[in-house]
């Protein structure tokens, strides 16, 4: 199909006398827009299929009777189109007049007033006054169609943007048109709210004030808002957004269309989670021994503990968990502090809920956009809809719209289940085994079964790479099943991996060396030793422990000081009992956090840090894309950026980083970290869609902003996918040459090579399952008990108690009714949970949601066991 | 009665013969005794689909749903080698005053089923849908029953009469929306979605039901096919006038002595139809105006030019700018208030607008509200100018016929035809209606408008 299109190359069309080259089949409205001719529109949205409903884009095309809408008219050779004749203007005027007759014109009290496309279009194209003297249509003023979104049907102009988004993009067709004629209205179904994870997007793309979001309603007027482009760091996708504030309070986050990342969409947790920044529960003052203290007191107290532990027991007696929630610069500063100054390699940005850093950093990587034209997408991860919602949208689109086969290794039903082409039906803990079967079938061996044969055939029939989305499939299993799956699949020639680690800037933290055995820039401790010793003074002698090892060592009394940087092991570590034991035993906890958590409640020293939108810098998403995040509001209370805390601690430890600003860290990072070689603050700042690591390999892809580095955005464009500038230019030759030169020097200096995983895995065996037990798959939910949800008033109510899903056969066997509470017992502990019989789950398997508030599934999991089996009994 | 005799002489009953002549023709044994399925059996025996196309082409048959598109050309436009393909019979007859298909559906469903079989065979289609208007409760029962009986007797189903040809017929009942008579909205509804017209292209013939090539035909069109094959296309083409070949079943109603369906050979004049075929106006009152083609097109009035107009698809459009539409003729006598008629028609369209595109959704409602005021003593002097000017938002060049449109489908401009007719022929009545209003006061406050 592409071949045919390429053969036809372009067609020439004439719009308002201007001769334009366009791709055949492209829509007239888009061709005009790309060439500076704006045809007014309401229903058409670049990311959705055209419907031709609002008729605002009526134009004249020579040879066609009447007024065809430009949004449904594909361009063809020699087409001549007029968008500004008197008759076109009369037609457009007429449509606007009709749109306004039943519109309440309550602009003064409407949240959209000032940034309303209907207002703007009326001013630009519409009639001056209304001739409508009849009674307008009336509906009950705003009705809540979900917990987050309100609908005012009087203001609605029936453009179907929201209903199409819900159906086409989100896959949640929960709102629809009802009634006819001028009483046509958008509604949810009775007793079935519009509870989509993506509901906030319909508020943004609504061309009037019909849809409003609870968090922003009546909070501000658009002309009072200050806006800056940034990335959302709620999960690891890092959707581009525009954060808006008024009076130093964040009031809104809007999605910005970044083709390689989020295509304009945000999930509701990301969109509304900004509320947690202003939570009253924030800790705003440093504390020592539970009492408020000054910064010098807190820093001195922390350094005293660190020094004494180091002097008495060596650097290895100190461990750090966390660092994934801040910026790359913070992660780098903490890596330099722990590995270069304190001298410990017991550092881990993950909380035992991810996958080994070797696999993430050392495998061939895919980009998000590779999903669109992949030979196949292999799902070997948790539920993307719950963990990485906007990545879920991209995978769904690839499978549904672009025809990419979806091969599923999941053990439990998930958000993408209904789009899966080949469900390989792996049982919990057996993803590695099934992946090996799949890999050998793709490699040419006889397929183990018909499903694998079918998957192999459909992969074999397509060009492109096989993108494996690799994440922790279940928190109730050790990561070794995923690691062996990665080893098996990674041996195939066409396979690229897209990491599905979910936590905020975890990829930036790993790239910065916040993992045992690694140094910044994707180099191993051993290969980077010489280089970093010369830059930092020293590096740890031996590979240290990951989070599980750290907690075990704490519990055994081998670690004396535990530093928690935005980490809450009691809530997030899968094995709660081990985390509890560790925190009860360890001598000193030093916490850097914005909130008091069960894990840091007993901290000897508590240092408050800034949060998203209070700190600037760069972040790295799951494909390795480095983008800027912007500071929009000033720090709350006495909170400091994480990097500054690290830098102050280092200075008091006797090692001055001499790093005063974020930019200076970025520059140092680029100078010393191999994967960052070639980066500069200027490049990152000016790259419209960021730069993918390693820089040297991807500089050619960078699209630079025209007109410098400004991230300021016109607020009035919020209903279209917003962009700071419409005119993008390709990389200029001078940029490439300059950066390429820097690259060569760093890469050759110390014979540094980027880490490559050798795919060696220890042999593993899966324990036999006894006939009475259920093997449990534990996955995270979007609205969990984590800080962002718990501290955002709009989101906290959306949290649901976890339920356990089993097959109806198992429910019948257990004699339990769907919806009944049961007691689930593992070798570790037992919990009471509601049980539900569900489709798509194999007998013998149970699926349980993980609630990140330290209750529930984490009571059942033993981190030292490869799978978790449970017995279920009724409470009757 | 002498009148009845005259009717028998002047009607040319081809499609409607059986439903008039055979008692309970809807029962299989009665229809079969009258020759039902004989042509279908012949067609199967010959097995020559190309000949069917040739006959239909020779017959000059044009779609009887109102768009008058040549049936053979539709068949020929089917993309070759794309299967499955579907046949959809449009039985969603919902236009005010139109009831011709209903008679066939209720009284002679086997004629429809036989026509469907022949058409499916001609087009290489193995699955046909008969979409019936939701309100046709009796019709639905009868068609379902007819399909059942046809299956039981081996005329529909797997390997029909040992020919190797299979046909499955699904009878689907609509949910009561007029818009579903528009073919793409009908397809949406058939697929289980809200009935709203699709953007064209693609046309259903290229991408219809389940995005597969789909032939959509009216009930009368399909029922006519049997007779064309029976008579031979050339013989059928001898009936009628010009490119309007054959007969048309007209539903005639209003202030008329003998309302009902009449199968008319093209070429008759309206004077003959109204005053001879139907026996003239009720109580022999004087004719005021009549709607020559259903509710959606411009009206004609009591003048020689209009009454002597020949019943001919192309001629009426060329000369008078209106069309024969859905085959309904509504007759009004001198006691009628044309403004009230226009309002009632507009109310129908405002109620039935599907709400998809702006000009129709908002425009039909606005037209209705103005006409309501005018016809209920609250007209204002400026109302007619406003009506004409705002109607141009829906149908530019308001008075032009056939109309142009800013809408997706022709529903929106339909009430504009009534507005245009008022302006053309009844300006005096309009001015009278517009003089009673009180300017500056919004009076159109109604419950359940």
């Amino acid at each position: 199909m592409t071949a045919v299109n390429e053969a036809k190359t372009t067609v020439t069309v004439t719009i308002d006398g201007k001769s334009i080259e366009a791709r055949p089949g492209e829509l007239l409205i888009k061709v005009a827009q790309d060439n500076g001719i704006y045809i007014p529109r309401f229903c058409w949205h670049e990311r959705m299929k055209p419907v031709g409903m609002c008729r605002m884009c009526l134009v004249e095309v020579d040879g066609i009777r009447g007024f065809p809408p430009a949004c449904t008219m594909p361009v063809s050779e020699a087409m001549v189109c007029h968008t500004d004749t008197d008759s076109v203007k009369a037609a457009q005027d007429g449509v606007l007049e009709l749109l306004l007759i039943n519109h309440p014109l309550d602009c003064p009290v409407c949240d959209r007033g000032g940034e309303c496309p209907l207002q703007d279009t009326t001013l630009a194209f519409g009639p001056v006054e209304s001739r409508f003297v009849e009674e307008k249509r009336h509906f009950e003023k705003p009705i809540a169609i979900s917990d987050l979104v309100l609908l005012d049907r009087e203001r609605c102009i029936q453009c179907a943007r929201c209903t199409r988004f819900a159906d086409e993009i989100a896959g949640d067709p929960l709102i629809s048109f009802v009634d006819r004629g001028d009483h046509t209205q958008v509604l949810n179904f009775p007793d079935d709210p519009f509870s989509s994870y993506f509901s906030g997007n319909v508020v943004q793309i609504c061309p009037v004030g019909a849809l409003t979001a609870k968090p922003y309603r009546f909070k501000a007027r658009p002309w009072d808002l200050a806006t800056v482009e940034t990335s959302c760091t709620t999960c690891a996708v890092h959707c581009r957004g525009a954060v808006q504030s008024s009076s130093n309070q964040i009031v809104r986050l809007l999605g910005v269309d970044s083709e390689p990342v989020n295509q304009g969409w945000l999930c509701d947790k990301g969109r509304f989670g900004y509320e947690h920044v202003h939570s009253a529960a924030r800790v705003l003052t440093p504390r020592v021994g539970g009492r408020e203290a000054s910064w010098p007191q807190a820093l001195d107290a922390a350094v005293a503990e660190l020094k004494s532990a180091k002097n008495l027991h060596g650097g290895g007696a100190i461990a750090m968990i966390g660092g994934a929630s801040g910026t790359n610069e913070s992660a780098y500063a903490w890596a330099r502090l722990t590995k270069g100054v304190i001298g410990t390699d017991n550092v881990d940005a993950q909380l035992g809920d991810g996958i080994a850093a070797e696999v993430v950093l050392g495998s061939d990587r895919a980009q998000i956009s590779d999903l669109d034209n992949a030979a196949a997408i292999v799902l070997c991860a948790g539920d993307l809809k719950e963990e990485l919602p906007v990545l879920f949208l991209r995978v769904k689109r690839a499978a549904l719209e672009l025809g990419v086969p979806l091969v599923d290794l999941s053990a439990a039903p998930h958000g993408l289940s209904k789009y899966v082409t080949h469900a390989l039906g792996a049982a919990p803990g057996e993803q590695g085994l099934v992946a090996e079967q799949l890999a050998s079938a793709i490699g040419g061996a006889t397929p183990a079964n018909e499903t694998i044969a079918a998957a192999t055939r459909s992969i074999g029939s397509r060009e492109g790479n096989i993108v494996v989305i690799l994440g922790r499939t279940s928190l109730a299993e050790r990561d070794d099943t995923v690691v062996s799956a990665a080893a098996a699949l990674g041996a195939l020639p066409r396979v690229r991996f897209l990491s599905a680690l979910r936590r905020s800037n975890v990829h930036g933290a790993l790239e910065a060396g916040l993992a045992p055995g690694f140094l910044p820039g994707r180099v191993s401790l051993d290969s980077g030793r010489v280089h970093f010793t010369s830059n930092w003074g020293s590096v740890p002698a031996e590979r240290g422990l990951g989070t599980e090892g750290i907690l075990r060592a704490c519990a055994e009394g081998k670690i004396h000081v535990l530093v928690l940087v935005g980490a809450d092991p009691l809530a997030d570590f899968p094995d709660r009992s081990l985390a509890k034991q560790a925190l009860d035993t360890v001598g000193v906890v030093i916490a850097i956090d914005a909130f008091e958590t069960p894990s840091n409640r007993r901290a000897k020293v508590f240092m408050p840090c800034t949060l998203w939108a209070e700190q600037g810098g760069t972040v790295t998403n799951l494909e390795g894309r480095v983008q800027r995040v912007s500071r929009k509001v000033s720090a709350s209370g006495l909170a400091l950026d994480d990097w500054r805390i690290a830098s102050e601690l280092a200075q008091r430890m006797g090692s001055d980083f001499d790093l005063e600003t974020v930019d200076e860290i970025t520059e140092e990072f680029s100078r010393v970290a191999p994967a960052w070689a070639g980066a500069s603050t200027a490049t990152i700042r000016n790259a419209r869609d960021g730069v993918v690591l390693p820089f040297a390999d991807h500089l050619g892809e960078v699209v630079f902003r025209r007109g410098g580095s400004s991230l300021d955005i016109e607020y009035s464009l919020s209903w279209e996918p917003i962009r700071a500038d419409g005119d993008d230019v390709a990389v200029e030759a001078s940029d490439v040459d300059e950066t390429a030169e820097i690259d060569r020097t760093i890469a050759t200096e110390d014979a540094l090579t980027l880490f490559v995983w050798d795919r060696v895995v220890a042999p593993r065996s899966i324990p036999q399952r006894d006939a009475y037990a259920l093997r449990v798959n534990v996955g995270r939910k979007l609205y969990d008990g984590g800080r962002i949800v718990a501290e955002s008033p709009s989101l906290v109510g959306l949290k649901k108690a976890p339920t356990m899903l089993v097959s109806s056969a198992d429910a019948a066997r257990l004699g339990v009714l769907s919806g009944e509470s049961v007691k689930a017992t593992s070798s570790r502990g037992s919990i009471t949970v509601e049980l539900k019989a569900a489709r798509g789950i194999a007998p013998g398997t149970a699926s349980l949601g993980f609630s990140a508030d330290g209750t529930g599934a984490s009571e059942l999991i033993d981190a030292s066991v490869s799978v978790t089996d449970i017995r279920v009994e009724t409470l009757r | 009665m002498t009148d009845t005799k005259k009717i028998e002489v002047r009607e040319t009953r081809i499609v409607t013969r059986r439903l008039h002549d055979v008692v309970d023709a809807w029962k299989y044994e009665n229809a079969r005794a009258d020759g039902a399925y004989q042509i279908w059996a012949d067609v199967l025996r010959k097995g020559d689909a190309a000949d069917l196309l040739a006959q239909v082409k020779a017959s000059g048959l044009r779609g009887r749903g109102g768009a008058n598109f040549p049936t053979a050309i539709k068949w020929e436009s089917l993309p070759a080698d794309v299967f499955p393909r579907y046949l959809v019979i449009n039985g969603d007859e919902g236009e005010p005053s139109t009831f011709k298909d209903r008679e066939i559906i209720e009284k002679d469903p086997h004629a429809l089923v036989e026509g469907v079989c022949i058409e499916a065979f001609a087009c290489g289609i193995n699955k046909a849908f008969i979409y019936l208007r939701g309100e046709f409760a009796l019709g639905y029962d009868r068609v379902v029953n007819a399909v059942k009986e046809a299956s039981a007797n081996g005329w529909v189903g797997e390997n029909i009469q040992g020919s190797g040809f299979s046909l499955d017929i699904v009878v689907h009942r609509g949910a009561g929306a007029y818009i579903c008579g528009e073919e793409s909205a009908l397809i949406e509804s058939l697929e289980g979605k809200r009935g709203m017209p699709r953007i064209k292209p693609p046309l259903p013939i290229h991408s219809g039901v389940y995005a597969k090539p789909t032939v959509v035909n009216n009930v009368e069109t399909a029922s006519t096919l049997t007779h064309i094959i029976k008579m031979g296309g050339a013989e059928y083409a001898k009936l009628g006038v010009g490119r309007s070949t054959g007969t048309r079943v007209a539903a005639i109603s209003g202030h008329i002595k003998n309302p009902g369906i009449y199968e008319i050979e093209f070429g008759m004049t309206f004077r003959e139809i109204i005053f001879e075929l139907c026996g003239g106006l009720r109580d022999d009152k004087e004719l005021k105006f009549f709607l020559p083609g259903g509710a959606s097109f411009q009206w004609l009035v009591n003048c020689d030019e209009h009454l002597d107009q020949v019943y001919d698809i192309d001629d009426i459009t060329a000369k008078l700018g209106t069309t024969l539409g859905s085959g309904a003729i509504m007759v009004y006598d001198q006691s009628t208030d044309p403004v009230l008629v226009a309002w009632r028609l507009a109310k129908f369209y405002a109620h039935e607008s599907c709400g998809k595109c702006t000009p129709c959704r908002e425009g039909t409602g606005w037209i209705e509200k103005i006409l309501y005021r005018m016809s209920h003593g609250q007209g204002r002097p400026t109302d007619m100018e406003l009506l004409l000017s705002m109607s141009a938002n829906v149908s530019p060049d308001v008075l032009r016929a056939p109309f142009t449109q800013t809408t997706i489908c022709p529903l929106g401009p339909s009430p504009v035809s009534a507005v245009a007719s008022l302006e053309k022929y009844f300006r005096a009545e309009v001015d009278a209606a517009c003089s009673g209003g009180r300017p500056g006061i919004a009076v159109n406050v109604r419950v359940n408008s």
Side-chain angles (χ1 to χ4, degrees), chain A residues 50-55 58 65-67 72 90-91 93-95 97-99 101-102 131-137 157-158 176-184, chain B residues 176-177 194 196 199 350-359 361-363 365-366 369-370 373 380 386 389-390 393 396 400 402-404 406-408 442 444-445:
Chain A
V51 281
M53 286 177 77
C54 74
R55 316 305 277 185
L58 297 177
R65 187 165 166 262
F67 301 91
T72 60
D93 259 19
V95 172
E97 176 174 39
L98 292 174
L99 280 173
I101 61 172
N102 278 311
R131 301 180 291 172
F132 187 77
V133 295
E134 328 294 335
E135 177 87 1
K136 288 191 188 234
R137 169 192 63 195
I157 58 167
Q158 288 86 21
S176 172
F177 281 128
V178 300
D179 283 352
R180 287 192 294 227
D182 56 11
H183 276 64
T184 306
Chain B
R194 179 184 162 91
M196 296 202 287
I199 299 293
H351 182 256
E352 291 296 343
S353 169
C354 80
K356 183 166 183 176
C357 63
T358 306
R361 182 182 66 240
E362 306 292 346
W366 195 2
K369 283 173 177 168
I370 298 172
R373 281 197 290 100
R380 303 173 185 198
L386 175 59
S389 138
M390 61 74 47
N393 297 346
R400 177 181 157 166
F403 48 67
T404 53
T406 60
T407 52
I408 298 172
N444 198 21
V445 182

Side-chain angles (χ1 to χ4, degrees), chain A residues 298-329:
Chain A
L299 290 164
D300 286 342
V303 166
E305 295 297 345
L306 292 170
K307 272 188 177 165
S308 107
K310 187 180 177 183
N311 293 342
L312 286 171
H313 310 285
I318 300 166
M320 168 192 163
I321 301 176
S325 52
T327 57
N328 290 333
E329 288 71 17

Side-chain angles (χ1 to χ4, degrees), chain A residues 604-666:
Chain A
K604 182 81 181 279
V605 185
F606 187 110
M607 292 180 270
C609 64
T610 53
L611 287 175
W612 177 83
E614 292 176 340
Q615 49 184 252
T618 64
V619 289
T620 306
N621 79 351
L622 49 76
E623 55 179 338
R625 184 177 299 275
V626 177
Q627 302 182 101
R628 280 183 80 200
V629 287
S630 306
R631 183 181 155 155
K632 188 70 212 76
V633 292
S634 48
S636 300
L638 299 180
L640 287 182
D641 290 354
D642 300 20
W643 67 267
R644 184 168 287 281
I645 297 171
S647 168
E648 294 288 340
L649 288 172
Q651 196 173 16
R652 284 171 161 76
M653 299 277 291
S655 169
D656 190 352
F657 285 174
D658 193 22
L659 295 171
E660 295 299 323
T661 65
V662 171
D663 281 357
E664 283 177 26
I665 307 181
T666 315

